[in-house]
Amino acid sequence: MRTLSENRCFGGVQGVYAHASEATGCEMTFGLFLPKEAEEQPVPVLWYLSGLTCTHENAMVKAGAQRWAAEAGIALVFPDTSPRGEGVADDPAYDLGQGAGFYVNATEEPWSKHYRMWDYIAEDLPRTLFSAFPLAPEAQAITGHSMGGHGALTLAMGLPGRFRSVSAFAPIANPTASDWGRKQLTAYLGADEAKWAAHDSTLQLKRRGFDGPILIDQGSSDQFLDLLKPETLAEALTATRHNATFRMQKGYDHSYFFVSTFMESHIAFHADHLLA
Amino acid sequence: MRTLSENRCFGGVQGVYAHASEATGCEMTFGLFLPKEAEEQPVPVLWYLSGLTCTHENAMVKAGAQRWAAEAGIALVFPDTSPRGEGVADDPAYDLGQGAGFYVNATEEPWSKHYRMWDYIAEDLPRTLFSAFPLAPEAQAITGHSMGGHGALTLAMGLPGRFRSVSAFAPIANPTASDWGRKQLTAYLGADEAKWAAHDSTLQLKRRGFDGPILIDQGSSDQFLDLLKPETLAEALTATRHNATFRMQKGYDHSYFFVSTFMESHIAFHADHLLA
């Protein structure tokens, strides 16, 4: 593992590290905020999965999350959104290939060699994190924005017992029925739609569900509402009687101005469960 | 004036606007955060001047300032750091020309035509702001980072009565004695050092001073300490008996992780005086 940068931040350290990933077969970069409590003991971890076109860096510099994580004594992990590098397949579109891993393990060419973001987030990065840093594996939660909200919800349901709580900002809620989803799931997983279901949070809520609290924020002026399909998620959360809060935030759009506005309450939500 | 974007943010609006500037002779872009109180009445204004290489955007997305401005009911202005555009003189170095206006009115070629950032901040942008937005001209304060901290301090002292309070994050404190200063002041103002004094906050503190409270934060691990020369500013503040607080923040560097960490207390400091 290589240290790319470490900056003092809200009494803790915001680091950026690179490590060789077995899952993706390339070097991966991630951000990690450690609150000052980590100098004394392992601390709880909140994962933040980012959206299309993002790297590890966007949320790390724009979401304003460190302030609230420092106050709660919680670490923040900011993974990248895809494998990267010259030998890694890509596509000219912003929503496929590098920056658009969709948190799945690709089975189709030319993606299957490197695009294994589910395994990267579920196995590979945790292995590195929990061996190298003072983090408490029994106290994990997960959140994300847009494609990252999709990733947070599907990983939380796909890894029962791993995360105590899950939240999302404007998640891609029903990718099997959206242009943000059908294109990518076809490319990465092939045309058999039965294989897509594990990667659709609306479907997974009805099939597997999540054994913990769920918080969703969605802006009412989001320019991508037709692609995100939040109503399918709200319906599924309610129909399944999950312990969930869905908040439609009047006038907010899809930007980080929306994410940063509600970050304080997402971190407080997770802290309630991580520190319980 | 053109609206480039408006995003709902912490209950208010983060806007980006472009306007034709008489001072710089080109179109200038600025960010403006209006808290929700601005829907009802004119609100106080905190100016944030940015550092080398920055545009209006860096602090707007990275400083985490809107949260605290929203809480206090204060507007934030994020000006650009230089004139821009194809017809505007530039230099290959990051610290001269576009992105490096140093908040002076250039008198030398090729800079004098457009590089009039003092007048832009002191006259031109206020004229646009106070005619187009519900802002209270009698309640203004100013802050900034690095070159922007230099700008905030020198403008606050150079425009007596304009700003109620001034603060700075790691300001270029003594540019007439630094490689961050001598090069630019020579280029923009010429070789006569007598003309530089109005643009050196350490010298101005001793010559003119500031009739209000001053707050300075400086990271002890700042990679640019030799260029910033904070000790000259601390000495001048103390020798002149100004109402000032100078805080050396252990372990912090020059990045926005430093700025965002202390933004809450800078905005609280200004709010005390703007809302008094």
Side-chain angles (χ1 to χ4, degrees), chain A residues 17-34:
Chain A
Y17 310 93
H19 67 135
S21 162
E22 215 173 281
T24 65
C26 64
E27 189 175 70
M28 298 290 292
T29 302
F30 64 93
L32 174 68
F33 172 73
L34 286 178

Side-chain angles (χ1 to χ4, degrees), chain A residues 6-12 14 60-62 66-68 250-253 255 257-258 260-262 264, chain B residues 6-12 14 60-62 66-68 250-253 255 257-258 260-262 264:
Chain A
E6 288 185 330
N7 301 85
R8 174 83 36 198
C9 180
F10 290 102
Q14 176 61 59
M60 196 182 97
V61 301
K62 290 171 33 168
Q66 292 91 347
R67 165 66 169 78
W68 314 112
K250 193 73 181 168
Y252 286 86
D253 60 29
S255 70
F257 295 114
F258 157 68
S260 62
T261 297
F262 299 103
E264 177 177 5
Chain B
E6 289 186 328
N7 301 86
R8 175 84 34 200
C9 181
F10 290 101
Q14 177 61 61
M60 197 182 96
V61 301
K62 292 172 32 170
Q66 293 90 349
R67 165 67 169 78
W68 314 112
K250 192 74 181 169
Y252 286 86
D253 60 29
S255 70
F257 295 114
F258 157 67
S260 61
T261 297
F262 299 103
E264 177 178 5

